């Protein structure tokens, strides 16, 4: 369970990791091959997921599937929350 929570936090923090983490990685890789601007967030997500996996392994907590699901839910968490909020508000309007 701890691995799931660590991965969810890593997914949620991905946008904040774009500049401080993915920026230097992109600069280092640009000398070898081109990187599109929209791939910067993907690199940040991969770095966050790698860190989450290392932490989950260090704490011997969580399975691979739990870490993956946690990262996905963390990454899309605010969007999922907003959709659920609209669904709930829509039901209130029907009553």
């Amino acid at each position: 369970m701890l691995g799931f929570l660590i991965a969810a936090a890593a997914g949620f923090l991905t946008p904040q990791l774009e500049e401080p983490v993915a920026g230097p990685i992109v600069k280092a890789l640009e000398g070898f091959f081109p990187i599109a601007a929209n791939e910067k967030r993907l690199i940040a997500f991969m770095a966050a997921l790698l860190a989450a996996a290392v932490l989950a392994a260090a704490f011997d907590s969580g399975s691979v599937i739990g870490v993956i699901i946690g990262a996905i839910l963390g990454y899309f968490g605010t969007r999922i929350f907003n959709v659920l909020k609209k669904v709930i508000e829509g039901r209130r309007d029907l009553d």
Side-chain angles (χ1 to χ4, degrees), residues 2-88:
L2 182 60
F4 173 84
L5 295 175
I6 291 170
F12 182 75
L13 293 175
T14 296
Q16 288 81 18
L17 297 175
E18 246 182 279
E19 287 305 316
V21 175
I25 295 172
V26 167
K27 286 180 183 173
L29 292 176
E30 282 179 329
F32 299 101
F33 52 87
I35 296 178
N38 60 351
E39 291 176 327
K40 198 172 190 179
R41 182 156 298 180
L42 176 63
I43 292 170
F45 182 70
M46 290 187 303
L49 190 54
L50 178 63
V54 167
L55 284 173
F59 289 116
D60 196 26
S61 174
S63 65
V64 173
I65 193 74
V67 170
I68 292 170
I69 291 172
I72 292 169
L73 289 177
Y75 186 80
F76 293 108
T78 54
R79 296 177 200 174
I80 294 169
F81 177 76
N82 289 335
V83 167
L84 292 175
K85 187 176 171 183
K86 286 180 184 178
V87 167
I88 291 170

